[in-house]
């Protein structure tokens, strides 16, 4: 739960559908700025529309970036040490799960993609499972999936 703290600069590291960004904007003091980060181009386009007025007024700033780049972005924007609040809601979003062509769906046929930014050069999940060796797949399943049967699955 976001407290009633009045922020001058807030970062929403996983802006997605904009719900948390909207709350941060409502809880920010006058002259404050919220920076919404997302690496998904679909989310960025949606947020441009949803926050058109706030973007125009300079209250909301969209950053098309991985949240792991937050330090570099803060340095580039001369905000290092000036951020009052950071929020990160980690995981996949409903639009990513609902659209079969994104490759995250459990109940719809689609490519095994699973990339947050499909326009990037990162390998798809299909590339990984079809080209990585058994040892590397086992390591990935164990490390990132906490899968006790990682070796068997690989």
């Amino acid at each position: 739960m976001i407290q009633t703290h009045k922020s001058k600069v807030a970062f929403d590291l996983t802006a997605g559908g904009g719900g948390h960004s909207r709350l941060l904007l409502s809880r920010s003091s006058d002259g404050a700025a919220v920076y919404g980060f997302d690496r998904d181009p679909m989310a960025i386009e949606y947020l441009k529309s949803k926050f058109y007025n706030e973007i125009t007024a300079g209250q909301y700033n969209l950053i098309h970036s991985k949240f792991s780049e937050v330090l570099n972005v803060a340095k580039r924007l001369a905000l290092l040490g000036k951020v009052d609040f950071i929020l990160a809601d980690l995981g996949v979003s409903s639009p990513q799960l609902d659209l079969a062509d994104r490759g995250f769906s459990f109940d719809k046929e689609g490519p095994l993609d699973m990339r947050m930014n499909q326009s990037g050069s990162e390998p798809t999940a299909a590339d990984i499972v079809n080209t990585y060796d058994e040892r590397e797949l086992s390591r990935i399943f164990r490390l990132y999936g906490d899968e006790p049967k990682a070796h068997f699955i690989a």
Side-chain angles (χ1 to χ4, degrees):
M1 180 63 144
I2 296 176
Q3 303 297 317
T4 57
H5 171 73
K6 297 286 185 186
S7 300
K8 283 286 187 188
V9 177
F11 281 3
D12 180 356
L13 298 184
T14 50
H20 289 115
S21 287
R22 174 69 63 211
L23 186 57
L24 288 170
L25 284 164
S26 74
R27 302 285 184 157
S28 296
S29 55
D30 292 336
V34 174
Y35 292 80
F37 288 67
D38 212 295
R39 70 187 289 185
D40 185 343
M42 284 179 59
I44 293 294
E45 288 307 311
Y46 174 77
L47 293 165
K48 282 180 185 176
S49 172
K50 182 172 184 162
F51 291 104
Y52 177 81
N53 293 335
E54 292 84 353
I55 291 169
T56 304
Q59 297 171 300
Y60 193 65
N61 305 276
L62 279 173
I63 310 292
H64 185 199
S65 175
K66 299 176 185 180
F67 61 78
S68 61
E69 294 293 317
V70 66
L71 184 60
N72 294 332
V73 171
K75 285 178 185 176
R76 188 180 80 234
L77 297 175
L79 291 172
L80 202 57
K82 299 176 183 176
V83 179
D84 300 302
F85 194 89
I86 297 175
L87 183 141
D89 182 5
L90 306 175
V92 294
S93 65
S94 293
Q96 291 160 337
L97 293 172
D98 293 342
L99 298 171
D101 63 331
R102 296 301 303 267
F104 290 97
S105 182
F106 295 103
D107 61 352
K108 296 180 178 120
E109 275 300 315
L112 184 58
D113 192 320
M114 300 181 81
R115 292 175 297 166
M116 293 293 178
N117 183 354
Q118 291 181 307
S119 63
S121 61
E122 297 167 334
T124 66
D127 295 332
I128 291 169
V129 299
N130 289 308
T131 62
Y132 285 23
D133 65 25
E134 182 180 321
R135 185 176 181 182
E136 182 61 9
L137 288 174
S138 179
R139 186 190 72 78
I140 290 169
F141 298 154
R142 189 174 42 263
L143 182 64
Y144 298 110
D146 289 327
E147 178 53 59
K149 296 182 180 179
H151 182 71
F152 174 77
I153 293 169

